[in-house]
Amino acid sequence: MTQDLSPPSRAIEPAALVRVMAFLDLKDRSSAAQVNKEWHQAAQHPSLWETLDLKGRQDAGVKLRAALDRTDGRVSPHRQHLRHVNLEFGLGIDDAVLSLLAGIPLLSVNLNACQKVTESGLFALLGIEKPALSPEDARKGDVANPLLPLQSLKLYWNLNVRNGTLHALAARCPRLTHLSLSGCQSVTDLGVMALAKACPLLTDLDLTRCLAVQCWCGLSGSGPLSNWPTIPASGRPNDR
């Protein structure tokens, strides 16, 4: 008796297929999308594009471009659904690639160890055309741009981050709750103070190894800032 190896006559239910797709990474999902029309449609489901996780990928820059940059000049349909992007330790992430995220209402962005990203790329991400010397300067010329819903930003060990980035965040991201600046050695008290005044929801700020932050300016322990790291008498943040 021969075994019937033909595919089952009944197709997988669309909802079940979408749930299966959710377990696949971007590479495998792209491959699955080429099986047939039904699988392709399932791979494009909005729920699968809320999070783009390219952590540690050697081709992170290429994959981000493939997901968001269409060669036919049309806007990628994934942009309207994307809310969370993880590029931590991804290779090929620079200002040009980061600019593809501009205009997307992102809630969280992880750029830990993305050393090629400069303040120019971060300004583009935040919708600012020129360096910001203060939060007020960052707001000039951006009256027409709505404030961003960004809640979490991780910039671990990026030596290109300076006070201009903090001023831009203060001007554009009032809903910010989590910010990692660990190892960003060029930020100073001036930028931290701008964040304290403009981001009342900020409850998690990592300033470890920020050697240019010299004082705590009397902010520790007040309101939502009670969760911010404390500055010891030596004038340098505690390493955790």
Side-chain angles (χ1 to χ4, degrees):
M1 180 176 181
T2 60
Q3 183 179 2
D4 184 5
L5 299 179
S6 61
S9 58
R10 183 179 179 182
I12 303 176
E13 293 292 335
L17 189 55
V18 170
R19 288 195 292 270
V20 172
M21 292 281 186
F23 289 98
L24 304 181
D25 61 17
L26 185 60
K27 179 181 179 180
D28 292 337
R29 196 188 310 158
S30 298
S31 298
Q34 301 177 39
V35 172
N36 55 39
K37 181 180 179 180
E38 288 72 22
W39 285 44
H40 178 79
Q41 291 177 340
Q44 306 307 312
H45 194 276
S47 65
L48 300 177
W49 290 97
E50 291 182 359
T51 299
L52 186 58
D53 188 356
L54 298 173
K55 178 179 179 180
R57 292 285 297 263
Q58 293 186 348
D59 57 353
V62 174
K63 291 300 182 182
L64 185 60
R65 282 190 177 278
L68 300 180
D69 192 14
R70 293 182 58 127
T71 57
D72 57 9
R74 293 190 297 172
V75 177
S76 169
H78 306 315
R79 292 178 62 88
Q80 62 180 315
H81 308 299
L82 193 58
R83 293 297 179 269
H84 307 278
V85 177
N86 186 358
L87 302 174
E88 183 177 32
F89 295 105
L91 299 184
I93 304 300
D94 55 19
D95 291 345
V97 172
L98 193 62
S99 67
L100 297 174
L101 298 175
I104 302 178
L106 297 172
L107 298 180
S108 68
V109 180
N110 188 337
L111 294 171
N112 283 345
C114 293
Q115 299 283 1
K116 292 183 178 180
V117 171
T118 71
E119 282 204 321
S120 296
L122 292 170
F123 290 153
L125 176 66
L126 298 174
I128 294 177
E129 296 181 356
K130 60 182 181 179
L133 302 177
S134 68
E136 291 73 21
D137 183 53
R139 294 188 186 98
K140 292 179 181 178
D142 292 307
V143 177
N145 291 344
L147 296 177
L148 302 179
L150 188 66
Q151 298 174 3
S152 175
L153 178 61
K154 296 182 178 181
L155 297 169
Y156 165 79
W157 210 253
N158 189 324
L159 301 180
N160 298 314
V161 173
R162 297 177 172 81
N163 284 341
T165 298
L166 306 193
H167 294 318
L169 287 170
R172 305 285 289 131
C173 305
R175 300 181 185 178
L176 196 65
T177 60
H178 297 76
L179 177 62
S180 175
L181 297 172
S182 178
C184 298
Q185 298 182 8
S186 296
V187 300
T188 70
D189 297 312
L190 184 63
V192 175
M193 284 295 296
L195 285 173
K197 293 178 181 179
C199 302
L201 302 180
L202 187 59
T203 56
D204 184 2
L205 176 63
D206 189 350
L207 290 172
T208 56
R209 304 174 185 85
C210 293
L211 305 184
V213 177
Q214 295 298 317
C215 67
W216 194 229
C217 305
L219 294 178
S220 61
S222 59
L225 304 183
S226 60
N227 292 333
W228 287 26
T230 58
I231 305 299
S234 63
R236 295 186 176 182
N238 290 313
D239 286 343
R240 295 186 297 208

mmCIF file of all heavy atoms in Angstrom, residues 38-61:
data_model
loop_
_atom_site.group_PDB
_atom_site.id
_atom_site.type_symbol
_atom_site.label_atom_id
_atom_site.label_comp_id
_atom_site.label_asym_id
_atom_site.label_seq_id
_atom_site.Cartn_x
_atom_site.Cartn_y
_atom_site.Cartn_z
ATOM 1 N N GLU A 38 -2.185 32.755 -0.708
ATOM 2 C CA GLU A 38 -2.733 32.795 0.640
ATOM 3 C C GLU A 38 -1.631 33.060 1.669
ATOM 4 O O GLU A 38 -1.810 33.846 2.605
ATOM 5 C CB GLU A 38 -3.447 31.482 0.970
ATOM 6 C CG GLU A 38 -4.767 31.276 0.240
ATOM 7 C CD GLU A 38 -4.582 30.983 -1.243
ATOM 8 O OE1 GLU A 38 -3.473 30.524 -1.605
ATOM 9 O OE2 GLU A 38 -5.531 31.207 -2.017
ATOM 10 N N TRP A 39 -0.492 32.410 1.508
ATOM 11 C CA TRP A 39 0.615 32.613 2.439
ATOM 12 C C TRP A 39 1.183 34.026 2.313
ATOM 13 O O TRP A 39 1.591 34.624 3.301
ATOM 14 C CB TRP A 39 1.704 31.561 2.187
ATOM 15 C CG TRP A 39 1.342 30.196 2.715
ATOM 16 C CD1 TRP A 39 0.138 29.571 2.602
ATOM 17 C CD2 TRP A 39 2.200 29.313 3.426
ATOM 18 N NE1 TRP A 39 0.187 28.335 3.198
ATOM 19 C CE2 TRP A 39 1.441 28.148 3.713
ATOM 20 C CE3 TRP A 39 3.526 29.375 3.835
ATOM 21 C CZ2 TRP A 39 1.966 27.068 4.405
ATOM 22 C CZ3 TRP A 39 4.065 28.290 4.516
ATOM 23 C CH2 TRP A 39 3.294 27.154 4.802
ATOM 24 N N HIS A 40 1.204 34.521 1.093
ATOM 25 C CA HIS A 40 1.680 35.894 0.883
ATOM 26 C C HIS A 40 0.782 36.889 1.605
ATOM 27 O O HIS A 40 1.262 37.819 2.266
ATOM 28 C CB HIS A 40 1.725 36.211 -0.609
ATOM 29 C CG HIS A 40 2.151 37.627 -0.907
ATOM 30 N ND1 HIS A 40 3.466 38.038 -0.875
ATOM 31 C CD2 HIS A 40 1.421 38.729 -1.210
ATOM 32 C CE1 HIS A 40 3.540 39.327 -1.153
ATOM 33 N NE2 HIS A 40 2.309 39.765 -1.374
ATOM 34 N N GLN A 41 -0.513 36.714 1.500
ATOM 35 C CA GLN A 41 -1.457 37.606 2.164
ATOM 36 C C GLN A 41 -1.314 37.527 3.680
ATOM 37 O O GLN A 41 -1.373 38.551 4.375
ATOM 38 C CB GLN A 41 -2.889 37.269 1.742
ATOM 39 C CG GLN A 41 -3.189 37.602 0.292
ATOM 40 C CD GLN A 41 -4.584 37.184 -0.123
ATOM 41 O OE1 GLN A 41 -5.217 36.330 0.508
ATOM 42 N NE2 GLN A 41 -5.086 37.780 -1.196
ATOM 43 N N ALA A 42 -1.113 36.326 4.186
ATOM 44 C CA ALA A 42 -0.945 36.157 5.631
ATOM 45 C C ALA A 42 0.318 36.858 6.116
ATOM 46 O O ALA A 42 0.335 37.475 7.189
ATOM 47 C CB ALA A 42 -0.902 34.674 5.984
ATOM 48 N N ALA A 43 1.388 36.794 5.331
ATOM 49 C CA ALA A 43 2.659 37.410 5.722
ATOM 50 C C ALA A 43 2.587 38.928 5.744
ATOM 51 O O ALA A 43 3.429 39.581 6.379
ATOM 52 C CB ALA A 43 3.768 36.963 4.771
ATOM 53 N N GLN A 44 1.587 39.502 5.076
ATOM 54 C CA GLN A 44 1.432 40.952 5.049
ATOM 55 C C GLN A 44 0.449 41.455 6.109
ATOM 56 O O GLN A 44 0.160 42.654 6.164
ATOM 57 C CB GLN A 44 0.937 41.406 3.661
ATOM 58 C CG GLN A 44 1.779 40.922 2.504
ATOM 59 C CD GLN A 44 3.247 41.248 2.650
ATOM 60 O OE1 GLN A 44 3.614 42.377 2.963
ATOM 61 N NE2 GLN A 44 4.102 40.251 2.438
ATOM 62 N N HIS A 45 -0.028 40.574 6.970
ATOM 63 C CA HIS A 45 -1.029 40.983 7.968
ATOM 64 C C HIS A 45 -0.457 42.075 8.870
ATOM 65 O O HIS A 45 0.690 41.992 9.330
ATOM 66 C CB HIS A 45 -1.446 39.778 8.814
ATOM 67 C CG HIS A 45 -2.676 40.017 9.621
ATOM 68 N ND1 HIS A 45 -2.658 40.636 10.866
ATOM 69 C CD2 HIS A 45 -3.980 39.750 9.360
ATOM 70 C CE1 HIS A 45 -3.876 40.726 11.334
ATOM 71 N NE2 HIS A 45 -4.709 40.189 10.448
ATOM 72 N N PRO A 46 -1.228 43.131 9.133
ATOM 73 C CA PRO A 46 -0.729 44.270 9.933
ATOM 74 C C PRO A 46 -0.129 43.890 11.277
ATOM 75 O O PRO A 46 0.863 44.486 11.706
ATOM 76 C CB PRO A 46 -1.989 45.135 10.115
ATOM 77 C CG PRO A 46 -2.831 44.821 8.926
ATOM 78 C CD PRO A 46 -2.600 43.373 8.631
ATOM 79 N N SER A 47 -0.692 42.887 11.937
ATOM 80 C CA SER A 47 -0.199 42.512 13.267
ATOM 81 C C SER A 47 1.230 41.984 13.222
ATOM 82 O O SER A 47 1.957 42.051 14.218
ATOM 83 C CB SER A 47 -1.111 41.454 13.894
ATOM 84 O OG SER A 47 -1.075 40.236 13.147
ATOM 85 N N LEU A 48 1.665 41.483 12.076
ATOM 86 C CA LEU A 48 3.012 40.938 11.941
ATOM 87 C C LEU A 48 4.053 42.024 11.708
ATOM 88 O O LEU A 48 5.257 41.760 11.767
ATOM 89 C CB LEU A 48 3.069 39.929 10.792
ATOM 90 C CG LEU A 48 2.153 38.711 10.915
ATOM 91 C CD1 LEU A 48 2.270 37.835 9.676
ATOM 92 C CD2 LEU A 48 2.499 37.910 12.162
ATOM 93 N N TRP A 49 3.587 43.242 11.451
ATOM 94 C CA TRP A 49 4.503 44.328 11.137
ATOM 95 C C TRP A 49 4.512 45.411 12.203
ATOM 96 O O TRP A 49 5.063 46.488 11.991
ATOM 97 C CB TRP A 49 4.160 44.919 9.772
ATOM 98 C CG TRP A 49 4.510 43.961 8.686
ATOM 99 C CD1 TRP A 49 3.664 43.081 8.059
ATOM 100 C CD2 TRP A 49 5.803 43.727 8.123
ATOM 101 N NE1 TRP A 49 4.348 42.333 7.140
ATOM 102 C CE2 TRP A 49 5.671 42.709 7.150
ATOM 103 C CE3 TRP A 49 7.055 44.291 8.344
ATOM 104 C CZ2 TRP A 49 6.750 42.248 6.415
ATOM 105 C CZ3 TRP A 49 8.132 43.822 7.599
ATOM 106 C CH2 TRP A 49 7.976 42.821 6.649
ATOM 107 N N GLU A 50 3.906 45.150 13.357
ATOM 108 C CA GLU A 50 3.972 46.105 14.455
ATOM 109 C C GLU A 50 5.376 46.169 15.043
ATOM 110 O O GLU A 50 5.808 47.210 15.540
ATOM 111 C CB GLU A 50 2.959 45.734 15.544
ATOM 112 C CG GLU A 50 1.510 45.928 15.125
ATOM 113 C CD GLU A 50 0.549 45.587 16.241
ATOM 114 O OE1 GLU A 50 1.020 45.187 17.336
ATOM 115 O OE2 GLU A 50 -0.673 45.705 16.031
ATOM 116 N N THR A 51 6.093 45.050 14.986
ATOM 117 C CA THR A 51 7.453 44.965 15.531
ATOM 118 C C THR A 51 8.404 44.465 14.459
ATOM 119 O O THR A 51 8.138 43.450 13.805
ATOM 120 C CB THR A 51 7.503 44.016 16.736
ATOM 121 O OG1 THR A 51 6.647 44.506 17.770
ATOM 122 C CG2 THR A 51 8.924 43.917 17.273
ATOM 123 N N LEU A 52 9.505 45.189 14.298
ATOM 124 C CA LEU A 52 10.559 44.772 13.372
ATOM 125 C C LEU A 52 11.812 44.527 14.195
ATOM 126 O O LEU A 52 12.452 45.452 14.681
ATOM 127 C CB LEU A 52 10.810 45.865 12.329
ATOM 128 C CG LEU A 52 11.790 45.528 11.197
ATOM 129 C CD1 LEU A 52 11.317 44.289 10.444
ATOM 130 C CD2 LEU A 52 11.923 46.706 10.244
ATOM 131 N N ASP A 53 12.144 43.262 14.392
ATOM 132 C CA ASP A 53 13.259 42.871 15.253
ATOM 133 C C ASP A 53 14.426 42.379 14.401
ATOM 134 O O ASP A 53 14.397 41.280 13.856
ATOM 135 C CB ASP A 53 12.815 41.780 16.226
ATOM 136 C CG ASP A 53 13.868 41.460 17.283
ATOM 137 O OD1 ASP A 53 14.977 42.034 17.209
ATOM 138 O OD2 ASP A 53 13.593 40.665 18.180
ATOM 139 N N LEU A 54 15.457 43.215 14.296
ATOM 140 C CA LEU A 54 16.653 42.879 13.530
ATOM 141 C C LEU A 54 17.873 42.851 14.437
ATOM 142 O O LEU A 54 18.996 43.079 13.992
ATOM 143 C CB LEU A 54 16.851 43.895 12.394
ATOM 144 C CG LEU A 54 15.728 43.940 11.353
ATOM 145 C CD1 LEU A 54 15.959 45.092 10.379
ATOM 146 C CD2 LEU A 54 15.628 42.621 10.604
ATOM 147 N N LYS A 55 17.669 42.548 15.695
ATOM 148 C CA LYS A 55 18.749 42.546 16.686
ATOM 149 C C LYS A 55 19.878 41.599 16.275
ATOM 150 O O LYS A 55 19.659 40.424 15.998
ATOM 151 C CB LYS A 55 18.204 42.121 18.050
ATOM 152 C CG LYS A 55 19.257 42.045 19.138
ATOM 153 C CD LYS A 55 18.645 41.635 20.472
ATOM 154 C CE LYS A 55 19.701 41.538 21.551
ATOM 155 N NZ LYS A 55 19.124 41.140 22.866
ATOM 156 N N GLY A 56 21.094 42.158 16.246
ATOM 157 C CA GLY A 56 22.267 41.345 15.986
ATOM 158 C C GLY A 56 22.421 40.847 14.564
ATOM 159 O O GLY A 56 23.356 40.097 14.279
ATOM 160 N N ARG A 57 21.553 41.280 13.662
ATOM 161 C CA ARG A 57 21.624 40.791 12.294
ATOM 162 C C ARG A 57 22.765 41.458 11.535
ATOM 163 O O ARG A 57 22.920 42.675 11.571
ATOM 164 C CB ARG A 57 20.306 41.063 11.571
ATOM 165 C CG ARG A 57 19.111 40.266 12.069
ATOM 166 C CD ARG A 57 19.190 38.829 11.611
ATOM 167 N NE ARG A 57 19.137 38.715 10.174
ATOM 168 C CZ ARG A 57 18.015 38.442 9.491
ATOM 169 N NH1 ARG A 57 16.878 38.244 10.143
ATOM 170 N NH2 ARG A 57 18.038 38.324 8.182
ATOM 171 N N GLN A 58 23.550 40.669 10.829
ATOM 172 C CA GLN A 58 24.632 41.226 10.026
ATOM 173 C C GLN A 58 24.101 41.985 8.814
ATOM 174 O O GLN A 58 24.803 42.828 8.250
ATOM 175 C CB GLN A 58 25.570 40.108 9.568
ATOM 176 C CG GLN A 58 26.342 39.453 10.712
ATOM 177 C CD GLN A 58 27.368 38.448 10.228
ATOM 178 O OE1 GLN A 58 27.380 38.066 9.059
ATOM 179 N NE2 GLN A 58 28.245 38.026 11.127
ATOM 180 N N ASP A 59 22.860 41.684 8.433
ATOM 181 C CA ASP A 59 22.248 42.354 7.296
ATOM 182 C C ASP A 59 21.093 43.255 7.739
ATOM 183 O O ASP A 59 20.137 43.475 6.985
ATOM 184 C CB ASP A 59 21.739 41.325 6.287
ATOM 185 C CG ASP A 59 20.746 40.336 6.905
ATOM 186 O OD1 ASP A 59 20.549 40.372 8.135
ATOM 187 O OD2 ASP A 59 20.169 39.524 6.151
ATOM 188 N N ALA A 60 21.186 43.791 8.957
ATOM 189 C CA ALA A 60 20.081 44.588 9.504
ATOM 190 C C ALA A 60 19.736 45.771 8.606
ATOM 191 O O ALA A 60 18.566 46.056 8.357
ATOM 192 C CB ALA A 60 20.437 45.073 10.910
ATOM 193 N N GLY A 61 20.762 46.478 8.128
ATOM 194 C CA GLY A 61 20.513 47.628 7.262
ATOM 195 C C GLY A 61 19.827 47.233 5.968
ATOM 196 O O GLY A 61 18.892 47.904 5.514
#
